[in-house]
Amino acid sequence: MASIRTRRGSNMLFVDFYYMGIRCRETTNLTDTPANRKKLEKVIEKMEAEIILGLFNYAKYFPKSDKAAEMVALNDRKECINTNTPSFEQFAKLWFSEKEIEWRDTYKRKIKEIIDMYLIVKFGTKPIHLIKKTDVLAFRSSLAKVTYGKSNKHLSAARINSIMVPLGMILKEAAKRYQFDSPYYDINALKQPKTDIQPFTLNEVWTFINGVRADYRNYYLVRFFTGMRTSEIDGLTWENIDFDRREIVIKQAYVKGKIVPPKTQESYRAIQMSPWVYDALKEQQTITYGRSDYVFCAHTGEPLDYNNVNKRVWHPTLKILGLKKRNAYQSRHTAATLWLAAGESPEWIASQMGHSTTKMLFNTYSRYVPNMTRQDGSAFEALVNRSQITQVSTAKETSQ
């Protein structure tokens, strides 16, 4: 039986009771008066009934208690033992150990980070079969309130979805193994805004290439005219440059300081060199070949640090040249839109970009799609040639 007491020198009531074989003493915010004792007796009566029925929620009655988290965990462990089911943390770790063989290192790190930073923190010791749909939805809502960085930005819908994906996979697998209804049923991903496309015009491309630091001219020319991802061009090595076939072979990427396989199976590809890319790589060969395995590298011979390059080269160049501020990934979007504007075949463009089908091409760049008839890259070459002739003519007229 629980008792109501006061501590020596204090006029505040506290409850002295046993829960799961442990003596607990919790102070209330009630002063010692006959009315408050009567009020507390009714609370205790309800507590004891819930303890007997196994419905007692320690944290609900004593949310500020240091013992609350300990008791919740203890109760969770008892439930796991009684029902022979694991806690969320136990099953999440088991699930990860079984699945990691299927993933590349970068994806493994991403999933483990999500599990450790978000999922275990939230669901930890809770028996996995007791997680309800309302718990999952409440967790997703809480993610929308998370802020980061100096500007206190909120997590994007894309980031929240990426956190929810492994949670859904874990819960669905656990539901199959331990035969309970998955709480993730009928929970859809948050709607994400369309990819922000801010491609350069061809004149802007040449303005940037001709205005950027000389030691980065080749780097950005290749980016703009191949549509390579940052990780692909930063991880590009000389062994994957085939000058005879005029191809850049994509077999690897540089991600978070490591050489890893390309993003998707379709990302393994051979990109055709346009004449300007061929000339830029030939010039680059005289600069870094033999000094580094990497086509574009730092003065130490190591791969470029894209954060450093963005900060010291990309953004300052845009500002100096009076070009609209945008991220460097727009160079990839620029290549796609220029190919489309030139009338290249969608299938050819998709293969150059590393897309499995043309669906993503049309979904992302639909407003840049004209009548397409070419299939071999020659229309794009003609478009660039015309722009160069125009620029030269304009420059001559200005000088006269």
Side-chain angles (χ1 to χ4, degrees), residues 131-202:
I131 297 174
K132 305 301 180 188
K133 186 174 182 178
T134 51
D135 299 324
V136 176
L137 292 175
F139 170 65
R140 188 174 68 175
S141 294
S142 70
L143 291 176
K145 299 171 186 174
V146 174
T147 58
Y148 66 95
K150 294 181 180 178
S151 58
N152 287 324
K153 289 184 178 179
H154 288 274
L155 297 182
S156 66
R159 177 57 175 163
I160 292 174
N161 286 339
S162 72
I163 294 170
M164 297 299 290
V165 166
L167 174 60
M169 294 169 71
I170 291 168
L171 292 175
K172 288 173 184 176
E173 181 61 29
K176 284 192 289 186
R177 294 195 193 186
Y178 298 99
Q179 299 181 342
F180 62 89
D181 293 334
S182 171
Y184 210 86
Y185 174 74
D186 206 26
I187 294 180
N188 298 319
L190 298 176
K191 288 186 178 179
Q192 297 175 212
K194 289 192 74 173
T195 304
D196 186 22
I197 303 298
Q198 300 179 47
F200 289 64
T201 65
L202 195 48

Side-chain angles (χ1 to χ4, degrees), residues 180-340:
F180 62 89
D181 293 334
S182 171
Y184 210 86
Y185 174 74
D186 206 26
I187 294 180
N188 298 319
L190 298 176
K191 288 186 178 179
Q192 297 175 212
K194 289 192 74 173
T195 304
D196 186 22
I197 303 298
Q198 300 179 47
F200 289 64
T201 65
L202 195 48
N203 283 337
E204 287 178 328
V205 170
W206 286 119
T207 297
F208 186 95
I209 290 172
N210 293 327
V212 74
R213 280 171 39 178
D215 52 338
Y216 279 90
R217 184 181 187 278
N218 293 333
Y219 174 75
Y220 284 111
L221 190 148
V222 174
R223 285 195 66 146
F224 275 115
F225 290 153
T226 63
M228 293 172 69
R229 299 178 177 93
T230 301
S231 59
E232 292 170 345
I233 192 168
D234 289 353
L236 184 64
T237 52
W238 283 112
E239 65 180 358
N240 292 321
I241 300 293
D242 189 334
F243 284 112
D244 293 332
R245 295 175 63 88
R246 294 190 173 228
E247 289 181 343
I248 300 170
V249 182
I250 304 300
K251 292 183 178 178
Q252 62 192 32
Y254 185 69
V255 180
K256 294 185 177 180
K258 289 187 176 182
I259 292 294
V260 299
K263 186 177 181 181
T264 63
Q265 192 61 38
E266 293 74 25
S267 295
Y268 288 90
R269 64 196 188 279
I271 300 174
Q272 295 179 25
M273 295 183 199
S274 63
W276 316 279
V277 170
Y278 178 87
D279 292 342
L281 289 175
K282 273 294 186 182
E283 183 179 326
Q284 190 66 20
Q285 189 179 35
T286 65
I287 301 170
T288 60
Y289 186 78
R291 181 167 69 84
S292 173
D293 291 334
Y294 295 95
V295 177
F296 302 102
C297 61
H299 68 278
T300 59
E302 295 298 309
L304 296 174
D305 179 337
Y306 74 90
N307 284 324
N308 189 42
V309 173
N310 282 347
K311 184 178 178 181
R312 297 182 59 187
V313 183
W314 174 262
H315 290 296
T317 303
L318 290 178
K319 187 174 182 180
I320 290 169
L321 298 176
L323 296 173
K324 181 180 177 181
K325 184 178 180 181
R326 61 198 108 176
N327 59 45
Y329 199 82
Q330 298 302 327
S331 64
R332 177 168 166 83
H333 295 317
T334 298
T337 55
L338 290 178
W339 283 326
L340 287 168

